[in-house]
Amino acid sequence: MGSGQWAVGGVMFERVEEAAAAVRRRAGSGAPEVALVLGSGLGDFAGTLEDAVSIPYGDLPHWPASAVPGHPGRLVVGRARGKRVAALAGRVHLYEGHDAASVVFATRVMGRLGVRQLVVTNAAGGVNTRLTPGVMMIIDDHINLLGVNPLAGANDDRFGPRFPDMTEVYASRLRRLADEAAAAARVPVAHGVYAACAGPSYETPAEIRYLRAIGADAVGMSTVPEAIAARHMGIDVLGISCITNMAAGVLPEPLRHEDVLETTRRVRGAFIALIEGIIDGL
Ligand code: HPA
């Protein structure tokens, strides 16, 4: 997929269809009722699916490869709470050198499989100091500071319209459902705005003060491209940030990826309970 997002208009659609056909051959033709993108350290949910078919990303044609520690890289199709679920354990990021169209390849494949509901999760830093490590933040809205948009370039109308509305990227129906699931599972949740920065360097304290001033509550390096592409395809989106650390400059200590993964390990049970409750309510 090295040809760049500006050159791949019609070709991208064919590649997505080929990957979707490969998923159907391996996992069966029924459309999953929901797909989940599992963020850094949050991939364990995929291992809880019943009657699961696990497909390494490398087995799927055109699928971009990820190499970040904590991102195992497989699509698991199975059942949870009686529903057919597709879980994407591992995603690719812009900072790996992928273009924005490649970053949303998996989202496109889910849409072409017939998925109408997407849950996108991530590890994020708490910009709002009320968001402390271990809290789950339901994403109410986002700010795209990635410098790119996955819809840039020729529009393919088979995916969606040229100028899709972004008034309600994260469906209020799904946010309410997440609140109910969190209350039932006794998992503490907050709500807020997610800002996406390109990374891979963490933000500076001055950038965090800027993010706070423009209304961000959490910051991460993912999620926004997938959410935009999903809305382009008319898919309803729920976004959940696992706050893994206070953002840069809040505490007198440096940020470390190991601490991010350590927090995701600590909240593993709560995260899985929340996701199961959400799937139950869909
Ligand atoms: N900044 C950006 N991305 C992140 C962070 C952070 O503080 N924590 C986890 N992912």
Side-chain angles (χ1 to χ4, degrees):
M1 195 107 43
S3 43
Q5 62 177 315
W6 305 102
V8 292
V11 180
M12 181 58 81
F13 188 86
E14 308 311 329
R15 290 176 177 171
V16 165
E17 289 289 280
E18 282 175 33
V23 173
R24 282 191 208 97
R25 278 195 296 276
R26 290 276 288 268
S29 58
E33 280 158 80
V34 59
L36 298 109
V37 182
L38 302 171
S40 295
L42 301 170
D44 287 354
F45 172 76
T48 70
L49 294 180
E50 300 146 25
D51 307 326
V53 175
S54 177
I55 312 172
Y57 289 159
D59 289 3
L60 294 167
H62 313 299
W63 205 282
S66 169
V68 187
H71 297 254
R74 62 192 180 124
L75 167 62
V76 182
V77 183
R79 301 191 76 79
R81 304 291 177 109
K83 297 193 169 77
R84 190 165 159 80
V85 174
L88 294 150
R91 57 150 67 89
V92 295
H93 302 82
L94 289 166
Y95 60 72
E96 294 171 74
H98 297 283
D99 62 33
S102 302
V103 166
V104 301
F105 186 81
T107 305
R108 296 297 197 196
V109 172
M110 292 301 112
R112 297 304 300 174
L113 283 174
V115 166
R116 306 311 299 154
Q117 308 181 101
L118 181 71
V119 181
V120 195
T121 69
N122 59 60
V127 172
N128 182 328
T129 53
R130 281 187 300 231
L131 298 178
T132 51
V135 169
M136 305 289 167
M137 187 189 86
I138 316 273
I139 302 177
D140 286 330
D141 203 349
H142 73 223
I143 301 174
N144 181 10
L145 298 174
L146 295 170
V148 292
N149 188 300
L151 310 185
N155 188 61
D156 194 322
D157 295 334
R158 292 171 292 184
F159 285 131
R162 172 74 290 187
F163 299 110
D165 175 55
M166 294 286 145
T167 307
E168 191 181 301
V169 176
Y170 304 90
S172 56
R173 172 183 68 89
L174 296 178
R175 284 183 274 145
R176 267 197 305 277
L177 194 156
D179 280 333
E180 288 160 15
R186 297 181 192 280
V187 173
V189 288
H191 282 255
V193 172
Y194 175 91
C197 293
S201 50
Y202 287 117
E203 301 72 31
T204 64
E207 286 165 347
I208 295 303
R209 289 193 297 275
Y210 163 75
L211 292 179
R212 204 173 284 132
I214 64 171
D217 297 292
V219 59
M221 305 175 191
S222 68
T223 298
V224 163
E226 292 107 319
I228 292 172
R231 288 309 301 140
H232 185 227
M233 301 179 87
I235 298 168
D236 287 344
V237 180
L238 175 65
I240 302 173
S241 290
C242 172
I243 305 300
T244 53
N245 57 282
M246 301 307 296
V250 175
L251 300 177
E253 59 194 42
L255 271 56
R256 302 182 326 141
H257 184 59
E258 298 76 55
D259 296 334
V260 168
L261 294 180
E262 172 56 32
T263 304
T264 59
R265 270 195 291 279
R266 178 161 64 80
V267 300
R268 179 186 181 280
F271 178 76
I272 290 175
L274 177 60
I275 295 294
E276 282 181 347
I278 290 166
I279 292 172
D280 204 27
L282 286 172

